Amino acid sequence: MDLYEYQGKELLRSYGLETLPGVVAGTPEEAARAAETLGGTVAVKAQVLIGGRGKAGGIAVVHNATEAREAAERILGMDIRGHTVRRVYVEGGAEIEKEYYLSITVDRAAKRPLILFSTEGGVDIEEVAETKPEAIVRTHVDPLLGLLPYQVREIVFSAGLTGDAAKGVGRTLNSLYKAFEGLDASLVEINPLVLTKDGHVLTLDSKVTVDDSSLYRHTDIADLHDVEAADPQEQRAQEVGLQYVKLDGNVGILGNGAGLVMSTLDVVAQAGGKPANFCDVGGGADAEKISTALDIVTSNEQVESVLFNIFGGITRGDEVARGLLSAIERTGIELPIVVRLDGTNAEEGRRILAENTPDNVHTEETMLDAARRAVELARGTRDSDGGR
Amino acid sequence: MAILVDSGTRLLVQGITGREGAFHTGRMLESGTNVVAGVTPGKGGQNHDGIPVFDTVAGAVAETGANASVIFVPPPFAADAVFESLDSGMGTICCITEGIPVHDMMRVADFIGTKEATLIGPNCPGVLSPGKSNVSIMPRDIFTPGNVGVVSRSGTLTYQIVNELTQRGIGQSTAVGIGGDPIIGTNFIEILGKFEEDPETECVVMIGEIGGNAEQLAAAYVQNEMKTPVVAYIAGFTAPEGKTMGHAGAIVSGGESTAEAKSEALRGAGIRAATNPSEVAELVAEALGR
């Protein structure tokens, strides 16, 4: 779960990280009042759960309340890479001496937390990694021991820091590791971490991602989930425990098992089609669950055909076929549906489908044939009703 | 021969009285797996399908000599169940549980380094050696004994591919689901190494997906260390950046984690990489000279 900048900063502050004072605003008036209260030069920053807001014009540095109002008027409602800005964060200014980069991530290959620190802050770290890899200090932490004091010294001194910078970055590192652990984060990133002219080390921009699997023990964080910002179909899927990701094509896809569904999306693309979504209905042949999934997939208006790819494992093909028929009947879907059923008792399942299917349901034996058929049918729908 | 589990496996089921644990214990028994004990704290002394239930893993090991365990414990308690199993000297541990926090798994992974044990999973379907032992939730009917080893990050995609192999008359030595989480006990390389040493395995199918760089590391290993032919398949070419595609570990977050980058690395290492599941079976037939 990704957090907004203002939410992440509030959590980081509770672990002792220093930030600038800031206020969240949902309207230009609130932004103006915030600028007034904070005083002096402030930044008006778009709050979106995606990177690249600076380049998209989502950050403005302003000098008074009037300018803050104007900036908020412009930024609120902006679309940044498909995300609508509904709040801005108005944050006080600072005199910056130096910008650093600091992050802690989960290194999947090493199976340990990885700290990255660089004195080249404020820019894209992947770019630094390519052009100036020697400017990045990398340190793995033993998760059972935690971050040790000597490791902090190694990071700080090998980056060439001294004085206030060394002390401030060292303190930040300790606090950030505690936050990473305490929040069950999969990423905490500060870019830039700044050294101010008066010797403070401050978190200027930060990104916090909390591991979804840990949310059961962080209900306060789970409550921060922004229902309004979520895609309505994704939100509904999440509420009923379905794995659903919306995409921008016209072939709706359902299947059982994450890997099989991912593979189905790929095969549809190879057949010249565009998948409209990812949807994993999980194991079993529960007609109610399949109905809900079908309903979610087809409530996306772009969907023009549906491909249902099922591999009968422990749940036998005949049970799946019955569950599916009942779900189709319940939802009353008229769009063309292509069903591909394979695995245990697949023949029996296909026979049941063939004997009972309504006209809009087509069965295919292989994944490839099913994908081709679904792609053709999606084109057909569009042609016949004038490309709605 | 097979890898990880065979007829010498004496299996303990952690969470044997839960819904999933009970159901799959029955199926494993039907496959002829030697299930010797179950553990459910507070239910020690009971009997489940004729299997004695214990309160603790240590108690079960002392009584039954269990040497492998399979875990069906809910996510908040699953890491503890792995620690318990490790501390009782288990040699092979399959953790089926999906949804264990990443930080818990980092601690588990760290601790395994101090033990002589292999953890498969979590968030995996387990390990099945057709006709020998079944420590898994995989549908055994689609398998047939043979010489192809299968290692995969995905359950249903494994079934799909195994089914295509079986339909072509190509049997399997062992199928290992290593799991779809970001942090897993055993990665491709360790399993590939075991297949390389297994005299019965003549070809290996490796099924990967988006997220992380385990496939790239495996590609280098196959190129440098293996004589056994490997056929690979990667899922997730159409996955958008930053979205979790069902498995917690299946997320594109940077260049290396894409399906394109993985496929390129595999082909660059001279590995046959299929573009769809059906093609996997064709390439295996070709590698085996059939």
Side-chain angles (χ1 to χ4, degrees), chain A residues 325-362:
Chain A
L325 282 174
S326 146
I328 291 171
E329 201 181 295
R330 245 193 256 193
T331 46
I333 288 166
E334 286 169 8
L335 285 172
I337 301 177
V338 180
V339 181
R340 178 269 181 171
L341 186 62
D342 206 344
T344 317
N345 276 21
E347 274 173 37
E348 174 70 4
R350 284 196 286 261
R351 193 187 56 75
I352 292 170
L353 284 175
E355 284 171 8
N356 303 283
T357 45
D359 292 345
N360 63 327
V361 178
H362 313 264

Side-chain angles (χ1 to χ4, degrees), chain A residues 42-245:
Chain A
V42 298
V44 179
K45 301 154 97 176
Q47 298 297 291
V48 277
L49 298 175
I50 192 140
R53 62 179 177 174
K55 278 181 197 148
I59 298 178
V61 175
V62 299
H63 305 93
N64 54 50
T66 314
E67 283 181 25
R69 180 184 287 112
E70 285 165 10
E73 262 165 17
R74 182 175 61 77
I75 295 171
L76 287 166
M78 239 174 98
D79 179 276
I80 299 180
R81 296 171 66 196
H83 294 243
T84 308
V85 182
R86 288 179 301 108
R87 276 180 292 268
V88 291
Y89 191 48
V90 185
E91 198 176 44
E95 294 224 50
I96 296 165
E97 173 76 31
K98 188 87 188 71
E99 296 190 323
Y100 309 123
Y101 172 95
L102 174 62
S103 71
I104 310 178
T105 54
V106 173
D107 183 335
R108 293 167 60 148
K111 305 178 191 179
R112 288 184 166 202
L114 172 64
I115 297 176
L116 295 185
F117 177 78
S118 175
T119 49
E120 305 283 314
V123 290
D124 184 1
I125 193 68
E126 291 198 5
E127 228 173 274
V128 180
E130 266 182 31
T131 55
K132 214 177 162 190
E134 71 281 2
I136 302 177
V137 185
R138 293 164 188 270
T139 306
H140 282 106
V141 180
D142 182 325
L144 292 175
L145 293 176
L147 179 63
L148 297 168
Y150 87 86
Q151 291 183 301
V152 175
R153 293 196 299 275
E154 272 188 1
I155 293 167
V156 166
F157 291 126
S158 59
L161 302 183
T162 55
D164 284 344
K167 271 186 215 147
V169 170
R171 259 201 310 274
T172 306
L173 254 168
N174 279 313
S175 302
L176 192 66
Y177 189 79
K178 284 196 189 90
F180 176 74
E181 237 187 349
L183 297 171
D184 265 300
S186 46
L187 165 76
V188 285
E189 183 182 53
I190 308 178
N191 190 23
L193 176 73
V194 299
L195 173 68
T196 61
K197 291 222 155 73
D198 55 359
H200 284 278
V201 171
L202 302 178
T203 295
L204 214 63
D205 192 6
S206 61
K207 189 177 175 207
V208 176
T209 306
V210 175
D211 173 21
D212 288 331
S213 297
S214 77
L215 289 175
Y216 74 86
R217 59 191 180 202
H218 297 284
T219 46
D220 51 333
I221 296 174
D223 289 343
L224 297 177
H225 173 62
D226 189 352
V227 178
E228 280 178 60
D231 173 84
Q233 283 129 15
E234 290 190 4
Q235 181 59 32
R236 192 170 150 217
Q238 196 185 334
E239 280 160 14
V240 297
L242 279 169
Q243 307 270 13
Y244 174 92
V245 176

Side-chain angles (χ1 to χ4, degrees), chain B:
Chain B
M1 277 289 289
I3 68 164
L4 295 163
V5 297
D6 56 27
S7 40
T9 299
R10 295 176 63 78
L11 187 68
L12 165 92
V13 181
Q14 289 175 263
I16 193 167
T17 57
R19 195 167 58 99
E20 297 291 312
F23 175 73
H24 291 290
T25 298
R27 294 188 58 91
M28 289 187 282
L29 284 167
E30 281 165 29
S31 312
T33 305
N34 187 13
V35 182
V36 297
V39 167
T40 298
K43 295 199 175 169
Q46 296 184 7
N47 235 295
H48 179 89
D49 272 2
I51 311 289
V53 179
F54 297 83
D55 286 319
T56 65
V57 174
V61 171
E63 286 282 320
T64 66
N67 57 15
S69 75
V70 61
I71 298 175
F72 292 96
V73 171
F77 320 107
D80 185 51
V82 180
F83 281 124
E84 187 181 6
S85 225
L86 285 167
D87 262 338
S88 299
M90 225 50 90
T92 301
I93 302 165
C94 283
C95 186
I96 308 295
T97 309
E98 175 171 10
I100 303 178
V102 171
H103 282 251
D104 290 6
M105 276 314 300
M106 286 197 285
R107 287 186 274 268
V108 166
D110 213 28
F111 187 63
I112 293 170
T114 68
K115 301 281 176 186
E116 293 284 327
T118 302
L119 169 68
I120 304 294
N123 189 8
C124 80
V127 184
L128 189 148
S129 301
K132 298 191 180 78
S133 190
N134 176 10
V135 180
S136 81
I137 57 168
M138 295 192 238
R140 75 186 150 103
D141 302 344
I142 59 168
F143 288 83
T144 189
N147 306 102
V148 176
V150 180
V151 57
S152 169
R153 282 171 65 188
S154 153
T156 40
L157 205 42
T158 306
Y159 312 158
Q160 170 67 39
I161 287 168
V162 163
N163 194 50
E164 301 220 18
L165 289 171
T166 298
Q167 283 176 347
R168 276 179 172 259
I170 301 171
Q172 307 84 36
S173 53
T174 301
V176 185
I178 57 173
D181 271 0
I183 305 279
I184 49 178
T186 304
N187 240 311
F188 284 124
I189 291 180
E190 291 105 309
I191 302 298
L192 289 170
K194 289 186 196 290
F195 278 134
E196 176 73 6
E197 282 169 22
D198 176 26
E200 200 187 39
T201 300
E202 289 171 13
C203 177
V204 180
V205 172
M206 178 175 116
I207 305 162
E209 62 191 27
I210 52 166
N213 66 347
E215 290 80 359
Q216 281 90 338
L217 299 174
Y221 180 84
V222 171
Q223 190 171 30
N224 300 326
E225 311 285 339
M226 286 183 74
K227 289 196 182 73
T228 314
V230 174
V231 173
Y233 174 68
I234 306 287
F237 283 86
T238 42
E241 194 181 337
K243 288 277 190 182
T244 304
M245 303 296 269
H247 290 148
I251 179 166
V252 171
S253 55
E256 266 194 335
S257 61
T258 63
E260 286 86 1
K262 288 166 191 284
S263 285
E264 207 173 289
L266 291 165
R267 294 211 170 90
I271 297 167
R272 297 170 177 85
T275 52
N276 63 61
S278 306
E279 201 189 339
V280 173
E282 286 166 31
L283 293 178
V284 170
E286 194 184 292
L288 291 172
R290 291 196 199 168

